[in-house]
Amino acid sequence: MGSCFSKKSKRKFEKELTPTSNGAQNTTNNNAEEEPKQYSWDKRDKVDPNDYILKGAKDTTIGRLPGTLNGQQLVIQDCENCNIYIFDHSATISIDDCTNCRVVLGPVKGSVFIRDCKDMKCVVACQQFRTRDCKKVDVFLSCATQPIIESSTGMNFGCFQYYYPDLAFHFKDAGLSIFNNNWSNVHDFTPVSGETNWSLLPVDAAVLEYVPVPDSESEFKSVRVLTDASRSIVPLTRGGRRKESDESCLFVFFAGDYTTANARKLIDEATGKGFVLIQTKESDAEDLTELITKGPVVALELNGDGVVEACRNIAEEVFNGTRVFVSESKNTSTADVDNFFNFADMQMGL
């Protein structure tokens, strides 16, 4: 066994007993009371857990204004007939045992978990979305991964459609891309033979018909909310609904300073001509196809008769000088779309 009085500690001990110039041992520090050492976590503001719990509310409007959560987690529990607005980004949010509530959740960096709830109408942006033991929940969703339901019935999903002034910043703070939205790719952990536990909301479903904007008497009236699909931070996509045309086009913007703005401009141009946005994807994956080199890209699938020719015209007229890829013909465009999005999903673990 080794000695508990090592050579290193012995040298330290001898140094502390080295005589001073007047021949006395330096014992000043030994007798003085040492101040407690300060660590970085000691200097942080103390967090009151009660500030991050909304519990037991009934027939009222509650929530959090921008800047009040700042990436913390939140618990919503035992609420009934409430309008709940979370206008901030957060780490995780759980909603338990709530009934007949309308809920808006700003971007959540991690998971949103809804349990034992019924008759809910929600607008949610998150990395992961999951429900358990829920009944009759309508969700306008932006989800970076595949939404999951478990032991839940009457679940209806639509594409996220929402705007408030800080929302784009909150997406960035939460590490979420507005182009990575798998809202319609729902996985049911507990399917029942012959029954359907979930479906998609009508294509023309409007958020305002499900979740009201804050009323003029609430503390949230200062937050300017828009629910029109054309003003939504997240692009409105058709998702898993049946395509209206057999012709789709892949349009890819390569990394650049204006990639997001250019993608939005394309959406406006294409939808203004009657074409439909099916899906979008932002990916840092390398070599997604032979046509794509290293670097993040934003890809869009647009659908409609004549869409390939129209997109190539838009690329030449509107994005001349911008580095893009556009399907060359309708004979190869379907393969372009499938190859890109399938490989991107595989790379992202979807």
Side-chain angles (χ1 to χ4, degrees), residues 87-106:
F87 291 132
D88 207 352
H89 68 101
S90 57
T92 62
I93 293 182
S94 61
I95 304 176
D96 297 304
D97 301 295
C98 292
T99 302
N100 192 30
C101 291
R102 282 71 54 194
V103 181
V104 176
L105 301 183

Side-chain angles (χ1 to χ4, degrees), residues 38-154:
Q38 289 286 314
Y39 296 94
S40 59
W41 52 82
D42 293 324
K43 300 176 183 178
R44 297 175 183 168
D45 294 334
K46 300 298 181 183
V47 174
D48 184 352
N50 292 324
D51 291 338
Y52 305 99
I53 298 175
L54 299 174
K55 184 177 181 180
K58 184 176 181 179
D59 302 326
T60 189
T61 297
I62 57 175
R64 291 291 183 268
L65 288 166
T68 55
L69 276 181
N70 284 328
Q72 296 286 344
Q73 63 183 12
L74 181 71
V75 174
I76 303 172
Q77 189 174 358
D78 296 319
C79 295
E80 181 179 350
N81 192 34
C82 291
N83 293 332
I84 303 173
Y85 301 100
I86 309 302
F87 291 132
D88 207 352
H89 68 101
S90 57
T92 62
I93 293 182
S94 61
I95 304 176
D96 297 304
D97 301 295
C98 292
T99 302
N100 192 30
C101 291
R102 282 71 54 194
V103 181
V104 176
L105 301 183
V108 181
K109 185 174 184 177
S111 62
V112 170
F113 205 167
I114 304 178
R115 297 170 290 202
D116 298 293
C117 295
K118 63 180 181 180
D119 298 319
M120 304 283 288
K121 301 183 187 303
C122 308
V123 179
V124 178
C126 59
Q127 175 74 17
Q128 299 176 329
F129 179 86
R130 187 166 181 172
T131 70
R132 189 181 69 201
D133 298 315
C134 292
K135 296 180 180 179
K136 297 182 180 179
V137 178
D138 299 330
V139 186
F140 291 87
L141 181 63
S142 175
C143 187
T145 57
Q146 186 176 32
I148 294 173
I149 65 172
E150 182 179 0
S151 301
S152 300
T153 60

